[in-house]
Amino acid sequence: MSREVPRVLFANRRPGLTASLAEFERGGGYRGLRRAVAELSPAEVRRLVADSGLRGRGGAGFPTGVKWSFFPHDAPPDKYLVANCDEMEPGTYKDGELILADPHQLVEGLIVSAYALGANRATVFIRYDYERAACALERALAEAREAGYLGEHILGSDFSLEIHVHRSAGRYILGEETALLNGLEGRRPNPRLRPPFPAQKGLFGRPTNVQNVETLACVPHIVAHGPQWFRGLARTPEGAGTKLFGLSGHLERTECFELPIGTPLREIVEEWGGGVWRGRRFKACLPGGASTPFLDARALDVPMDFTALEKAGSRLGTAGVTVFDDRTCMLRVTHNLISFFARESCGFCTPCREGLPMVRECLARLEAGRGTLDDVDWLKEQVPRINLSFCALAQGAMGPLSSLLALFGDEVLDHVGRGRCPLGEG
Ligand SMILES: Cc1cc2nc3c(=O)[nH]c(=O)nc-3n(C[C@H](O)[C@H](O)[C@H](O)COP(=O)(O)O)c2cc1C
């Protein structure tokens, strides 16, 4: 059986159940909030978060303390905090699991973070088909209001906050933070030009901080237990905290696990995932969602932290780990992923709107054995071109494509040489 690991974000997780306010409080819930409003100034909370080494869990891994330092804390209201639970990246489902298991964690995370930032309004932007999670969250918000954790003069302090739940209309681009803000304003969700950054001019032109659900959920734990404790949760000195790893693909067990940052990929695959299914061998994985470059078996001993994965040529991303067995055609996988990204393009910029469908057609030709060596060269040329896209959607799509060409180039060429898929697929 798998080793003992710290349970912080999933401490109250029970199969099929959602933790109540009473359960959350019994486990130390709202202790971070109590400490923040009674003992700490907003600047002191921001300092704790900066010292903790917390990095964004939504994909880019930007240091949260640095992001918060750009926020105009003293600007007059309204100032907004938005929890990003769009979570439409294939292979990523951890935020939905977190809210379903223990919605008060997000509620407390939002309240403490809003206190630190000086925000007076908060919104949870939630994936349209996370209806059960949205309902659990609304119940938790009502409980929190009733208990005095939310609303006017929280726990008798000068701090007041309202939190709303907004159900997404359901597009991947809405996860991009500026497209999300346009969506919240009822506009077409194209990404916005930066600068101005949302911290200066965000929702309805007001200072806005967009943060991932899991990132926010870490904040009260940091306030309650201190930044050194948080750093100590990780298995590598560069890492900090735990991480929700959502496993999928060709594993015996495809669940979401909370593990220390820096847990080696091999341990995640073999111990937590129960090994590659059907007794087959590991061929590749996406370590952090569909927009991260593939890793092959040479990377199995890489610690899953931001720094080590970048050195290994990929990214921690959302830590949605999708595993592929040795019978998988990686060209087929990439074709499937690019089809998703092409479909989800908002159409705003040319490299994404035009480039991704062209790449998709080229991959379809190659997969069917009708491609040429010129097609392979053409694909290579598209990577730097599409990387010029306006936002990170198409750049993310280039992760799987460029790593397909770098790691599985022979397999691609084999499709051309044989005029069919060498693995019998297609
Ligand atoms: C196409 C696209 C989709 C994204 N989807 C999400 C998402 O579902 N959830 C999320 O937290 N961040 C998503 N992001 C990243 C956000 O733009 C933003 O960086 C993040 O919410 C910041 O939170 P963090 O610093 O806590 O990670 C997406 C980015 C892009 C380009």
Side-chain angles (χ1 to χ4, degrees):
M1 193 45 214
S2 308
R3 68 180 71 207
E4 281 289 302
V5 288
R7 280 170 68 88
V8 179
L9 301 174
F10 275 175
N12 297 318
R13 191 176 184 230
R14 314 268 177 277
L17 298 177
T18 298
S20 65
L21 174 59
E23 283 166 310
F24 183 65
E25 286 174 321
R26 265 202 303 280
Y30 290 109
R31 198 185 292 163
L33 175 61
R34 284 184 190 283
R35 170 151 199 251
V37 295
E39 297 170 30
L40 302 170
S41 68
E44 285 169 325
V45 177
R46 295 199 296 273
R47 165 63 36 215
L48 291 178
V49 170
D51 290 347
S52 74
L54 175 63
R55 293 178 64 167
R57 304 320 200 205
F62 195 79
T64 308
V66 176
K67 185 164 167 175
W68 286 12
S69 72
F70 302 144
F71 196 81
H73 321 99
D74 299 329
D78 286 329
K79 286 172 281 174
Y80 292 92
L81 174 61
V82 179
N84 188 346
C85 190
D86 183 65
E87 199 155 70
M88 276 195 63
E89 176 132 333
T92 300
Y93 56 97
K94 48 134 188 137
D95 294 331
E97 295 275 314
L98 176 63
I99 295 176
L100 259 187
D102 201 6
H104 281 282
Q105 289 215 73
L106 174 58
V107 177
E108 189 184 7
L110 276 164
I111 304 170
V112 177
S113 304
Y115 174 75
L117 290 165
N120 60 314
R121 290 178 187 267
T123 299
V124 180
F125 185 92
I126 190 162
R127 183 178 171 158
Y128 73 106
D129 53 356
Y130 278 1
E131 188 53 28
R132 272 179 60 223
C135 290
L137 190 59
E138 282 168 336
R139 272 195 302 277
L141 289 172
E143 287 177 322
R145 242 177 247 119
E146 181 74 15
Y149 295 127
L150 185 61
E152 295 287 316
H153 299 288
I154 290 171
L155 296 173
S157 71
D158 286 342
F159 175 59
S160 303
L161 179 72
E162 262 318 316
I163 304 179
H164 300 277
V165 177
H166 181 100
R167 287 153 172 89
S168 169
R171 297 251 62 111
Y172 175 58
I173 188 62
L174 281 155
E176 196 284 331
E177 60 178 14
T178 60
L180 186 159
L181 298 178
N182 276 337
L184 273 179
E185 290 182 6
R187 297 170 196 273
R188 185 185 166 123
N190 295 330
R192 295 178 180 175
L193 184 66
R194 278 167 286 202
F197 289 91
Q200 275 70 49
K201 196 166 180 270
L203 193 56
F204 302 112
R206 301 299 306 152
T208 304
N209 188 80
V210 181
Q211 210 81 63
N212 175 257
V213 168
E214 185 186 351
T215 316
L216 291 166
C218 290
V219 170
H221 296 286
I222 294 167
V223 173
H225 303 289
Q228 288 319 317
W229 165 86
F230 190 74
R231 284 181 179 276
L233 293 169
R235 276 176 64 177
T236 45
E238 299 81 16
T242 59
K243 182 79 199 70
L244 303 181
F245 289 92
L247 310 193
S248 64
H250 301 156
L251 290 169
E252 289 293 345
R253 218 168 25 239
T254 48
E255 289 171 38
C256 189
F257 297 102
E258 179 178 17
L259 301 172
I261 285 218
T263 300
L265 176 58
R266 185 185 298 283
E267 204 175 298
I268 292 176
V269 170
E270 292 176 3
E271 291 184 31
W272 297 94
V276 178
W277 71 351
R278 302 175 185 173
R280 295 184 193 163
R281 293 224 313 271
F282 176 98
K283 180 169 183 178
C285 80
L286 294 162
S291 60
T292 55
F294 295 116
L295 293 173
D296 63 16
R298 288 171 299 179
L300 274 168
D301 292 311
V302 169
M304 296 285 278
D305 77 22
F306 292 97
T307 319
L309 277 166
E310 266 167 41
K311 277 192 203 140
S314 191
R315 291 189 299 113
L316 183 60
T318 61
V321 183
T322 307
V323 170
F324 304 100
D325 71 18
D326 53 354
R327 296 198 195 171
T328 310
C329 169
M330 298 310 291
L331 183 51
R332 189 183 176 92
V333 172
T334 310
H335 176 202
N336 184 299
L337 293 170
I338 295 290
S339 301
F340 167 80
F341 289 114
R343 189 193 75 199
E344 293 297 325
S345 171
C346 75
F348 182 65
C349 75
T350 313
C352 185
R353 183 188 63 243
E354 307 294 333
L356 292 181
M358 287 165 75
V359 168
R360 181 190 60 207
E361 295 318 311
C362 185
L363 289 170
R365 258 196 320 278
L366 285 162
E367 191 194 327
R370 290 185 281 104
T372 62
L373 292 178
D374 283 349
D375 281 330
V376 181
D377 287 341
W378 181 86
L379 273 183
K380 287 182 191 154
E381 288 164 15
Q382 300 322 303
V383 176
R385 288 185 185 156
I386 294 180
N387 271 331
L388 296 173
S389 63
F390 187 77
C391 87
L393 188 152
Q395 293 152 24
M398 292 301 96
L401 179 64
S402 57
S403 53
L404 169 80
L405 298 169
L407 302 177
F408 302 104
D410 290 348
E411 197 172 305
V412 177
L413 292 176
D414 237 12
H415 282 75
V416 177
R418 296 183 195 212
R420 63 175 175 79
C421 175
L423 287 127
E425 292 198 42

